[in-house]
Amino acid sequence: MKCDLNIDVHHLTRVEGHGNIHVKVKDGKLVDAKWAVVETPRFFEAMVRGLSHDLAPVLTARICGICSIGHALASLRAVERAMDVQIPKTAKKLRLLAKHGETLQSHILHVFFLVAPDFYNVGSVIPIVAQHPDVAGLAVRLKGLANDLCDLVAGRTTHPVSLAVGGLTKAPSKDDLAKMKIAIEERLPDMLATIDLFASLKMPAFVRETEFVSLKGVNEYPWIGGDLISTDGVVKPEDDYLAMTNEYVVDFSTSKFTKLSRDAFAAGALARFNNNHHFLHEKAREAAERLGLRAVNHNPFMNNVAQVVESYHVMLESIEMIQALLDSDLKDIRADYKPTAGKGVGAVEVPRGILYHCYETDDSGIIKKANCIIPTTQNNANIHYDLPELVNQEMARGKDENEIEKLCEMLVRTYDPCISCSVH
Amino acid sequence: MKYLGVELQKPKVGVFDFTSCEGCQLQLANKEGSLVDFLSLIEIVNFREISSDKSDDYDVALIEGSISRADEVERLKKIRENAKILVALGSCACFGGVNSLKNRFPIEEVVTEVYGDMPKETEPVRRVSDVVKVDLCIPGCPVSKAEVERIVVNLVTGAEVKFPKYPVCVECKQHVNTCLFDLGQLCLGPITQAGCGAVCPNGKYPCLGCRGAFADPNYEAFKNIVAEKGFSMEYLKERLSFYNGFSGAYKDEM
Ligand code: SF4
Ligand code: SF4
Ligand code: SF4
């Protein structure tokens, strides 16, 4: 069958930021397939130059409203490694707890508010609230829990206030932590219901072999710092992030592209799972099995499923971490330090994948140079190369233009692109 | 049931983002407890971040972000034509926000630093009111959802929209915090407009003035305290410039 397609999605909806999808097929032959980010670029790397080092995390958190905690943590880690600041163990735990709150918040927002409407054939979560109040209830309760966890540990969900160079400015009270532990335990049935729900949804059956990049777990599922790994066998130290990303500029996108062993690679929940699934909490591993997620999975749509599995994992791990915090004293949460000259990299697994901040400071702690490489930037090329493959596979299956357009949109959405992040 | 001469029952609301982190928009989807009630008060007709439905028929336009490219100017002007009430949402929209830090450098330098020899189009950052008439400013980085809800309810019921006329310090003292000046830090609480509940000092982090100057700041007294506590004017200036919420004579004269 010879078909013509002219897909032109201007400002894709239900993603964060502005991106366009162009697909052109003439007489059954693919002429063009593009993922073009058209978001206004923001220039944070230039903005942070000349600022005091303690303002860098405050500023760069504003790269993104959704993963501001992750940006703050990557930024703090870069500053701390540049100045050789060793943060106390308790602070490390608390920071990770805040991150878990963010991961849960962001994943739940994505799978329910942005992805689920596609499966219910509606334009947004608003009709789901009316038609499937049980589903909306899950989303609202789990996201509420996640926001409460962020608020408790970081002072605020969007743009944290208590994460500061050296550790934290303030620890939550034991009373509040104990209450939070109960609150998380009480929401576990909602998480199990979410897993049931996703077990009943059929993810599109699209597969394209790709390379997956994430942090490398050592004893546990990795979130903050450590070596970098790819499913193609590349392992690099954190400081060598440039060799892992190979960022470049293309003329049709304000967001950059990256590559490693192939034309493109993917970061994100699926990449983390593919590289580190054996470190997941046992129950989360069982959930993955139930959801049909097995490493190494090359179906990008399974990223949504990996996000559900990770949501469960972070809830279980948070319960354990809070217990450990309750058993410790919460006094030693911030290290003293003196600003020094240096260069430091901070790699953190934020909801959409691995995030790098790198700064150079002078001896009074002023930022001299900055580089930030964002997960969506790393996923752009993979989205871009997935598109023609998806269109070809779906044309071969005899799908019509509307169906293919919807699948293209769903494909981009499954990566959970954070576009304003990517044009930082 | 009128605000600024406009009849509002269940107002149609459009949410639009410009140069920003989209954190203020995100606040609209937060506060799950009251979310469903809040959504029943208004009709969201345009909110790309969470909805595929689009319409140019709206009463209230919530504008997030600052303006930094020519196409944004055009888009903003069109929205102004359609909207009965245009609200600047968040510090980026109200003051230029953190994006204004870009304006410290020549624009070509900024572009080359980030994009090398494949430059992208950009302009110095402007606030929304530099481009179109703004009916209402809701500051904050991010905005407080509670405040946005209160304001939208006021718009719907025709009540007057009011902001606190006192500084963040008042809210900070209500929380019985130890003053951060006493802990050796510089806090902008004494000159910043309240309404956030002093969320930063509550977390033992000094206020950086994301809500801008309050109605009647005593800059002279504040400068004296800052100097007395041993901070340089340069240090103060860096903090005052962070969200660009203290524009005008004071900031420039220092
Ligand atoms: S005001 Fe702050 S939270 Fe709101 S869009 Fe701007 S940077 Fe983001
Ligand atoms: S910490 Fe800041 S807001 Fe609180 S009383 Fe002191 S100056 Fe005022
Ligand atoms: S304390 Fe200051 S910086 Fe923090 S939210 Fe309030 S006004 Fe903004």
Side-chain angles (χ1 to χ4, degrees):
Chain A
M1 187 185 66
K2 299 253 184 271
C3 80
D4 286 343
L5 292 181
N6 248 321
I7 296 173
D8 189 9
V9 181
H10 182 69
H11 294 180
L12 175 65
T13 53
R14 278 183 285 125
V15 293
E16 197 279 354
H18 298 90
N20 299 341
I21 301 170
H22 305 287
V23 173
K24 207 176 158 65
V25 172
K26 230 180 141 38
D27 292 334
K29 269 224 157 59
L30 191 82
V31 185
D32 186 28
K34 226 186 241 131
W35 165 238
V37 170
V38 292
E39 182 87 8
T40 352
R42 292 180 308 143
F43 303 97
F44 272 80
E45 286 144 328
M47 283 193 253
V48 72
R49 194 156 47 90
L51 276 196
S52 298
H53 68 278
D54 60 324
L55 289 180
V58 187
L59 173 62
T60 56
R62 268 88 189 159
I63 287 177
C64 180
I66 299 180
C67 48
S68 53
I69 291 180
H71 275 285
L73 291 177
S75 185
L76 287 165
R77 187 169 165 85
V79 168
E80 285 159 357
R81 292 183 83 222
M83 300 188 186
D84 208 10
V85 184
Q86 302 297 330
I87 72 164
K89 266 206 192 99
T90 311
K92 268 193 187 159
K93 268 220 176 68
L94 285 167
R95 282 184 179 182
L96 183 56
L97 197 55
K99 235 206 84 47
H100 279 4
E102 175 174 277
T103 303
L104 186 63
Q105 179 269 130
S106 174
H107 282 358
I108 294 295
L109 178 80
H110 182 243
V111 296
F112 280 106
F113 286 54
L114 310 185
V115 167
D118 284 324
F119 287 93
Y120 291 97
N121 278 314
V122 288
S124 77
V125 74
I126 297 166
I128 297 183
V129 174
Q131 291 157 17
H132 305 277
D134 48 330
V135 173
L138 294 178
V140 164
R141 287 192 298 272
L142 285 169
K143 198 170 155 302
L145 171 78
N147 288 359
D148 289 346
L149 179 56
C150 296
D151 290 349
L152 174 65
V153 186
R156 185 161 64 184
T157 307
T158 305
H159 305 326
V161 298
S162 58
L163 308 176
V165 180
L168 280 89
T169 52
K170 191 178 173 183
S173 75
K174 281 203 175 179
D175 243 22
D176 287 342
L177 276 172
K179 282 189 198 133
M180 180 51 65
K181 181 170 167 258
I182 295 171
I184 302 173
E185 284 162 349
E186 280 176 358
R187 290 278 79 82
L188 284 175
D190 281 340
M191 193 61 233
L192 292 173
T194 302
I195 293 165
D196 287 344
L197 174 72
F198 274 79
S200 74
L201 301 178
K202 211 168 157 300
M203 292 297 141
F206 166 66
V207 168
R208 185 177 76 89
E209 273 251 349
T210 194
E211 182 174 20
F212 293 94
V213 173
S214 73
L215 282 175
K216 181 178 182 298
V218 180
N219 295 314
E220 49 200 19
Y221 204 74
W223 296 106
I224 300 178
D227 284 350
L228 320 170
I229 187 173
S230 98
T231 44
D232 280 6
V234 183
V235 178
K236 299 264 180 221
E238 190 170 353
D239 290 343
D240 219 358
Y241 74 106
L242 289 175
M244 206 68 172
T245 49
N246 301 299
E247 217 180 16
Y248 61 99
V249 184
V250 293
D251 59 3
F252 55 85
S253 168
T254 50
S255 177
K256 297 174 187 176
F257 278 32
T258 60
K259 63 178 173 184
L260 182 55
S261 318
R262 313 178 186 208
D263 280 344
F265 66 85
L270 187 58
R272 284 191 289 264
F273 174 85
N274 280 337
N275 282 313
N276 299 293
H277 55 99
H278 42 288
F279 293 122
L280 279 173
H281 193 287
E282 198 188 323
K283 289 186 183 162
R285 237 181 314 152
E286 284 164 20
E289 190 70 28
R290 204 175 140 224
L291 289 160
L293 180 62
R294 266 197 215 113
V296 174
N297 187 299
H298 288 279
N299 176 356
F301 290 98
M302 289 303 274
N303 191 49
N304 299 322
V305 171
Q307 288 174 320
V308 171
V309 170
E310 284 195 341
S311 300
Y312 191 25
H313 171 82
V314 296
M315 282 175 79
L316 295 164
E317 201 173 82
S318 297
I319 293 170
E320 288 168 10
M321 278 168 43
I322 294 177
Q323 190 53 56
L325 285 164
L326 289 172
D327 294 339
S328 70
D329 75 60
L330 290 170
K331 295 217 169 68
D332 186 19
I333 55 162
R334 193 164 185 192
D336 277 337
Y337 69 93
K338 258 211 168 77
T340 56
K343 182 177 176 180
V345 177
V348 169
E349 283 287 356
V350 293
R352 287 153 197 80
I354 192 163
L355 163 70
Y356 308 97
H357 282 222
C358 174
Y359 306 131
E360 277 173 54
T361 52
D362 71 7
D363 47 20
S364 50
I366 305 289
I367 307 285
K368 286 286 152 209
K369 200 170 165 40
N371 190 23
C372 306
I373 301 183
I374 275 67
T376 296
T377 305
Q378 298 167 61
N379 280 327
N380 277 329
N382 219 52
I383 297 174
H384 183 71
Y385 289 108
D386 271 354
L387 275 174
E389 188 62 34
L390 176 74
V391 171
N392 279 331
Q393 288 187 20
E394 295 306 324
M395 278 198 301
R397 290 189 177 125
K399 294 268 175 70
D400 68 24
E401 173 150 1
N402 285 339
E403 290 169 306
I404 297 182
E405 176 164 335
K406 184 177 174 192
L407 278 167
C408 287
E409 292 192 7
M410 285 174 71
L411 172 80
V412 179
R413 237 172 245 134
T414 191
Y415 282 90
D416 197 4
C418 194
I419 295 173
S420 50
C421 235
S422 76
V423 292
H424 57 286
Chain B
M1 295 285 177
K2 275 194 173 182
Y3 182 74
L4 298 174
V6 179
E7 193 75 45
L8 290 174
Q9 297 272 292
K10 183 161 174 154
K12 297 195 179 92
V13 177
V15 185
F16 304 91
D17 43 53
F18 290 82
T19 304
S20 72
C21 80
E22 303 199 359
C24 286
Q25 276 186 66
L26 191 67
Q27 298 317 303
L28 300 180
N30 276 349
K31 244 181 129 237
E32 295 68 17
S34 54
L35 183 63
V36 175
D37 283 347
F38 178 63
L39 287 178
S40 68
L41 259 186
I42 55 174
E43 186 184 342
I44 294 210
V45 297
N46 215 320
F47 193 170
R48 190 194 43 76
E49 184 164 357
I50 64 160
S51 175
S52 296
D53 307 326
K54 287 181 200 174
S55 160
D56 287 332
D57 176 23
Y58 39 84
D59 304 305
V60 181
L62 301 180
I63 306 294
E64 179 201 65
S66 46
I67 306 305
S68 74
R69 205 167 61 184
D71 63 325
E72 292 191 322
V73 174
E74 290 318 303
R75 197 156 63 90
L76 181 59
K77 284 184 177 160
K78 281 223 177 69
I79 295 168
R80 177 68 269 189
E81 279 170 24
N82 289 340
K84 299 190 178 98
I85 297 176
L86 187 142
V87 181
L89 188 69
S91 307
C92 290
C94 297
F95 320 121
V98 290
N99 301 309
S100 314
L101 290 168
K102 187 176 105 182
N103 295 353
R104 294 178 299 156
F105 305 107
I107 206 84
E108 307 74 43
E109 192 183 311
V110 164
V111 176
T112 323
E113 173 153 0
V114 176
Y115 288 104
D117 54 9
M118 216 181 273
K120 303 288 178 196
E121 189 194 338
T122 188
E123 292 171 353
V125 164
R126 283 188 284 169
R127 66 193 85 197
V128 170
S129 62
D130 290 338
V131 181
V132 294
K133 178 174 163 267
V134 170
D135 299 309
L136 195 67
C137 263
I138 308 180
C141 183
V143 289
S144 132
K145 173 69 182 294
E147 184 169 72
V148 176
E149 278 183 0
R150 184 172 55 75
I151 289 172
V152 171
V153 170
N154 281 358
L155 290 178
V156 175
T157 57
E160 197 188 335
V161 174
K162 280 188 184 151
F163 292 100
K165 292 225 169 357
Y166 44 83
V168 168
C169 277
V170 172
E171 293 177 325
C172 182
K173 298 211 167 87
Q174 282 165 354
H175 282 93
V176 211
N177 297 327
T178 309
C179 178
L180 288 158
F181 273 107
D182 293 334
L183 299 174
Q185 302 197 50
L186 195 168
C187 177
L188 298 185
I191 52 171
T192 299
Q193 184 186 294
C196 59
V199 58
C200 301
N202 289 347
K204 270 198 177 177
Y205 196 89
C207 173
L208 281 168
C210 79
R211 294 174 58 85
F214 94 103
D216 187 22
N218 187 341
Y219 286 134
E220 281 318 307
F222 184 63
K223 262 201 282 187
N224 288 341
I225 298 174
V226 169
E228 239 169 62
K229 296 282 178 183
F231 297 102
S232 68
M233 280 301 122
E234 205 187 331
Y235 188 81
L236 173 59
K237 208 170 162 183
E238 182 182 41
R239 268 129 240 260
L240 286 172
S241 323
F242 196 72
Y243 294 105
N244 205 32
F246 298 88
S247 55
Y250 173 66
K251 194 182 106 187
D252 299 332
E253 111 206 354
M254 278 197 317

